[in-house]
Amino acid sequence: MPRFSVIVPVHKVQAYLHECLDSVLGQCFGDFELIAVDDDSPDSSGEILDAYAAADPRVTVIHLAQNGGLGPARNTGTACARGDYVLYLDSDDTMAPGTLRALAERLSATSDPDVLVFDFAPAYWDGSLGPPAHSALLAPEAGPAVCTIAERPELLRLPAFAWSKAYRRDFLRRENLAFPPGKYEDTPWSFPVLLTARTIATLERVCVHYRQRRGGSILTTRGRGHFDVFDQYDRLFAFLDDRPELARWRPHLHQRMTDHFATIHSAPGRLPRSARAEFLRRARTHCRRYRPAPGADGPAGPAARRLRRLLVRCGAHRAFRLLSYAGRARRAVSARLRTARSLIRKAALRGHYLLQRRRPLDPDLAVFSAYWGRGYSCNPAAIEAKARELVPGIRTAWICDPAYAHTLPPGVRQLRPGSAAYWTALARARFLVSNVNLPHGYRKRTGQLLLQTHHGTPLKTMGLDLMAYPAAADGMDFQRLLEHADRWDYSLSANPHSTLVWERAYPSPYTTLESGHPRNDVFQTTTAADVTRIRAELGIPDRVTAVLYAPTHRDYQRGRQPWLDLARLVAALGPSFVVLARSHYFHADEGLPCEPPGGLIDVSAHPSVEELCLASDLLVTDYSSLMFDYANLDRPLVIHAPDWESYRAARGTYFDVTAMAPGAVARSEDELIDILATGAYATEHARALRAAFRERFCPWDDGHAAERVVRQVFLGGTSDGAAGPPVVPLAERRPAPAPSPAPPARSPTPTA
């Protein structure tokens, strides 16, 4: 018997069905069955389902002889379910990666409750995802881990979506719960579920991506079918009448019903104009029919909501429409006021900046930034620290969003992007250092020095070289790019390859500083004791091999794609390995594509990628520039390149990393597992590849790059030797010691 039965009712969704089914079958937790119910779909959905069933034994297809609607189709699937828990998934929605594993772990941690409520996020037509819908209600601190509805009545405020919960099959059978026919079938299902469940648990995790269709869904279809909602509330209150012990919840559900009627009536795309008055009359009748006893009122809510309820209960169609028009007018006026305030603020800040530009430069002020305000990191951070050490009287400020303020060291002033202080600093600072471009509104003054550090050795094409790759350029304004490059006084280079690329991709009259990457100095100065401490802070057990997995972003795909089944990787490698998974910073806020099992540590939010490198025994990456930095440690690297041809064709690269790799190359997940499990990443051949790679790309990263940059830019050094210490030859460097020796070669653990 599987742990989960995932039931997917299907009707006229051939355009979305593949994506829905793939999202389930691609889960990193495999103990489930998928029951797809073809509700007499007139398109090719039935054939699609049969093809999936023929290819995967976990798929069962049921073809219905006539269309019965969403509720009866779900009932058919439920009757065939064998899993401990039942999940419903609409066939135009998708299951988020890692959902089933996250649900299984949460259910085990909460002793298999009757119901587990989880979160969802809207998925829009352009491929973007909205924020989690109800994270505040589902957060661990919002209530006990396991509860009843009496302990957490606020859960009744959640939308009545059947697909936002996991149901213990024994519980559904015990309570004899079933879906009714008609639209809004979730209403007489979801509320009885919450009211009768003896144990309810919550999970603050987006498990379903709720597709916002431009047409074809109940929310965007106009017609009298929306009158089905009255029958559904008749069924709900009949259920309450049959369960006298639930009478206390009548006021809460009466309010939910009234609010639901108001929502349907006010939504512009649901009711025909000729039916709106009739709908509100029916709503008034229902509100009177199921009115709770005097004095038994539910939560009051804000005044505007109370007024809407009153108008619905009175059936005041014209007054309700006037209230709706007034609300829209108020929102329109508010939007215009917000726009006006924004324009006034921008004009005021622009005037402030122009005034500050008339003041003299502050010779002791240096402004730093990295990754568009994402905190204290990369080359600018290493230069800032060294400047405070070497430059007398220097005062430093860091452009940083408030969410990353905790990353700033003591003594470094925070500048919130767009604030008056921010524009003052840009107008008056003598030194400016960044790994990205400063805003277009910034105008460089005579006497200011601007250092562009970049943020990695380029493998992918950059700057003007992107003109040959319009998909990757994505509408880039190349004229503006050159204007920004013309502001640079210095361009930092980590190696001769970078020098050639930057000078061609950004052809401007700056001075190239061939100093190495300051952020890599730490790889030469960190001690064995520091490495041990960092590993302990990350929770890495002793005597295990730590694999840092750091994939990069793909320009040719929207969102983050899970190129590696992390749960499978961890299971295959066994307890002698631990995987440190770090998402690209574009996707760091999304979490891992799979809920971390044992042996997997999510380090996406860790502020220092350099510390993660120091803590690891080897790096697995695809096309990230981190490979060039990691090579300085002289530790094993593995290139995982499952889509190399697609990546290279879409983005463009300066060389073939699979032919000039710093170590072993895996073109598939199976190859990667074999390389890691057998120790093939640490062979003599792999070491020879790494040595050649280091010689080409790490000539100047000797631990003194930051000092050379500071002496050149801040202290006026020259190229005759006064700019800092000479480069230590590669053979004489002693990088931070590896945490543990390479494991002995062995056979990989078989995986499903």
Side-chain angles (χ1 to χ4, degrees):
M1 290 175 58
R3 184 60 164 160
F4 296 106
S5 294
V6 182
I7 297 170
V8 182
V10 177
H11 184 75
K12 292 180 66 173
V13 287
Q14 61 182 9
Y16 308 110
L17 189 53
H18 291 88
E19 188 177 359
C20 173
L21 299 176
D22 289 343
S23 74
V24 179
L25 298 176
Q27 291 287 309
C28 56
F29 181 90
D31 189 14
F32 67 89
E33 62 176 354
L34 193 159
I35 302 173
V37 182
D38 174 16
D39 192 16
D40 192 28
S41 188
D43 59 7
S44 61
S45 294
E47 290 83 354
I48 294 172
L49 294 177
D50 289 338
Y52 272 85
D56 196 319
R58 296 174 296 180
V59 180
T60 299
V61 178
I62 302 171
H63 295 282
L64 300 181
Q66 62 182 29
N67 176 249
L70 193 56
R74 286 175 177 164
N75 292 337
T76 299
T78 305
C80 299
R82 299 179 298 115
D84 297 331
Y85 279 84
V86 174
L87 291 164
Y88 301 102
L89 182 66
D90 286 358
S91 48
D92 56 350
D93 296 336
T94 57
M95 185 176 286
T99 287
L100 293 184
R101 180 173 295 278
L103 295 178
E105 292 180 354
R106 184 60 176 165
L107 290 170
S108 297
T110 53
S111 303
D112 285 359
D114 286 344
V115 179
L116 174 62
V117 184
F118 48 80
D119 211 349
F120 62 90
Y124 300 105
W125 62 269
D126 63 355
S128 63
L129 287 176
H134 301 287
S135 56
L137 273 177
L138 301 177
E141 59 271 16
V146 181
C147 65
T148 63
I149 197 63
E151 294 170 305
R152 295 201 59 191
E154 66 272 13
L155 295 180
L156 292 174
R157 300 203 306 266
L158 293 169
F161 293 143
W163 44 257
S164 64
K165 306 168 186 69
Y167 312 89
R168 194 157 56 85
R169 190 162 57 90
D170 289 346
F171 158 68
L172 298 181
R173 190 166 51 234
R174 181 189 78 209
E175 300 296 339
N176 196 29
L177 296 170
F179 290 93
K183 297 182 184 294
Y184 300 103
E185 74 292 330
D186 287 351
T187 296
W189 163 273
S190 293
F191 292 119
V193 159
L194 293 175
L195 295 178
T196 58
R198 295 170 184 169
T199 50
I200 302 171
T202 60
L203 175 63
E204 187 194 10
R205 190 186 197 278
V206 170
C207 296
V208 172
H209 295 158
Y210 177 31
R211 189 183 299 275
Q212 307 298 291
R213 292 169 63 176
R214 297 186 67 233
S217 72
I218 188 173
L219 300 180
T220 57
T221 302
R222 188 187 301 271
R224 292 187 62 85
H226 294 283
F227 280 73
D228 286 357
V229 72
F230 298 114
D231 294 335
Q232 306 299 12
Y233 278 103
D234 285 337
R235 294 183 175 103
L236 174 59
F237 282 98
F239 178 84
L240 291 183
D241 291 339
D242 290 341
R243 305 283 187 106
E245 69 277 11
L246 301 179
R248 60 177 290 194
W249 300 108
R250 197 178 187 93
H252 292 74
L253 297 181
H254 189 268
Q255 282 193 354
R256 283 303 309 268
M257 178 182 70
T258 308
D259 291 338
H260 198 175
F261 292 160
T263 298
I264 295 172
H265 186 271
S266 59
R270 300 199 198 182
L271 295 171
R273 177 180 289 274
S274 60
R276 290 174 182 170
E278 178 189 353
F279 183 89
L280 213 58
R281 288 195 297 270
R282 290 278 301 275
R284 177 186 61 191
T285 300
H286 265 64
C287 289
R288 291 177 177 177
R289 179 183 302 160
Y290 300 118
R291 183 168 50 201
D297 295 324
R305 187 178 301 169
R306 294 199 302 271
L307 178 58
R308 281 186 9 139
R309 289 171 183 162
L310 176 62
L311 295 177
V312 170
R313 289 166 184 165
C314 295
H317 169 65
R318 289 187 176 85
F320 192 93
R321 297 303 297 172
L322 286 173
L323 180 65
S324 298
Y325 292 145
R328 292 173 196 169
R330 184 181 67 254
R331 289 189 292 272
V333 170
S334 296
R336 288 187 173 88
L337 287 175
R338 286 194 299 271
T339 301
R341 283 196 296 268
S342 177
L343 292 174
I344 292 171
R345 183 177 184 274
K346 287 180 180 178
L349 287 172
R350 185 64 182 169
H352 171 78
Y353 175 61
L354 295 176
L355 287 174
Q356 293 299 317
R357 282 173 53 84
R358 294 180 175 274
R359 299 178 64 191
L361 289 177
D362 186 335
D364 297 324
L365 178 60
V367 173
F368 298 80
S369 69
Y371 299 117
W372 302 278
R374 286 186 173 91
Y376 189 84
S377 63
C378 196
N379 292 310
I383 296 170
E384 190 278 335
K386 186 60 68 172
R388 282 189 286 123
E389 176 187 333
L390 297 180
V391 182
I394 192 77
R395 301 192 329 278
T396 61
W398 196 278
I399 299 171
C400 182
D401 287 329
Y404 299 93
H406 64 282
T407 64
L408 299 183
V412 180
R413 179 187 173 200
Q414 178 196 355
L415 297 173
R416 182 169 55 83
S419 65
Y422 163 86
W423 287 108
T424 297
L426 291 183
R428 301 198 60 215
R430 162 73 166 145
F431 305 100
L432 300 110
V433 180
S434 181
N435 69 359
V436 293
N437 276 312
L438 295 177
H440 189 64
Y442 164 72
R443 294 292 181 266
K444 187 162 170 282
R445 296 175 64 183
T446 301
Q448 286 188 316
L449 291 177
L450 174 55
L451 167 62
Q452 170 58 250
T453 72
H454 308 282
H455 47 267
T457 293
L459 169 63
K460 61 187 179 185
T461 51
M462 303 290 291
L464 295 187
D465 292 339
L466 278 170
M467 289 191 293
Y469 299 92
D474 194 22
M476 180 180 291
D477 186 336
F478 290 101
Q479 181 60 43
R480 175 174 288 194
L481 180 144
L482 291 176
E483 291 173 7
H484 288 180
D486 288 343
R487 303 184 304 198
W488 305 347
D489 292 286
Y490 298 99
S491 170
L492 186 65
S493 175
N495 43 58
H497 163 75
S498 296
T499 298
L500 294 175
V501 169
W502 299 144
E503 292 186 357
R504 182 180 65 251
Y506 303 101
S508 292
Y510 49 73
T511 298
T512 297
L513 294 183
E514 293 186 319
S515 302
H517 270 164
R519 69 185 183 190
N520 295 336
D521 286 353
V522 67
F523 295 151
Q524 307 297 325
T525 59
T526 299
T527 66
D530 292 328
V531 172
T532 300
R533 173 185 54 80
I534 296 169
R535 283 172 67 93
E537 291 172 351
L538 291 170
I540 300 174
D542 294 335
R543 295 183 295 278
V544 302
T545 299
V547 180
L548 175 58
Y549 173 58
T552 194
H553 171 69
R554 266 64 165 180
D555 297 279
Y556 68 91
Q557 287 188 318
R558 285 191 179 275
R560 189 259 312 278
Q561 299 293 325
W563 290 103
L564 192 58
D565 186 336
L566 294 173
R568 180 182 179 229
L569 177 66
V570 169
L573 295 180
S576 60
F577 282 81
V578 64
V579 176
L580 310 176
R582 184 174 181 85
S583 299
H584 188 271
Y585 59 83
F586 283 178
H587 312 293
D589 296 335
E590 301 174 17
L592 290 182
C594 178
E595 192 74 9
L600 178 63
I601 303 175
D602 184 0
V603 293
S604 300
H606 196 280
S608 171
V609 70
E610 291 78 25
E611 286 194 353
L612 300 178
C613 293
L614 289 164
S616 65
D617 295 277
L618 70 148
L619 171 68
V620 174
T621 187
D622 35 39
Y623 323 118
S624 170
S625 65
L626 186 61
M627 71 176 79
F628 302 98
D629 305 311
Y630 197 86
N632 285 284
L633 286 169
D634 198 17
R635 299 180 191 176
L637 293 98
V638 179
I639 300 300
H640 179 231
D643 62 331
W644 169 244
E645 288 77 15
S646 299
Y647 182 86
R648 190 175 194 182
R651 175 68 198 224
T653 60
Y654 291 113
F655 62 90
D656 185 346
V657 74
T658 65
M660 200 183 298
V665 176
R667 300 302 296 263
S668 69
E669 186 173 294
D670 288 338
E671 284 187 40
L672 177 63
I673 291 174
D674 184 71
I675 289 170
L676 296 179
T678 61
Y681 59 86
T683 63
E684 286 299 326
H685 178 63
R687 279 191 281 272
L689 292 174
R690 186 167 72 250
F693 193 86
R694 292 181 70 218
E695 186 173 357
R696 181 177 182 186
F697 294 109
C698 307
W700 305 320
D701 286 345
D702 62 349
H704 303 289
E707 181 177 352
R708 284 192 288 269
V709 171
V710 169
R711 292 193 183 280
Q712 178 84 6
V713 176
F714 291 81
L715 297 175
T718 62
S719 58
D720 61 3
V727 175
V728 177
L730 199 63
E732 298 177 15
R733 298 176 199 169
R734 297 296 179 266
S740 59
R746 62 182 181 84
S747 299
T749 302
T751 58

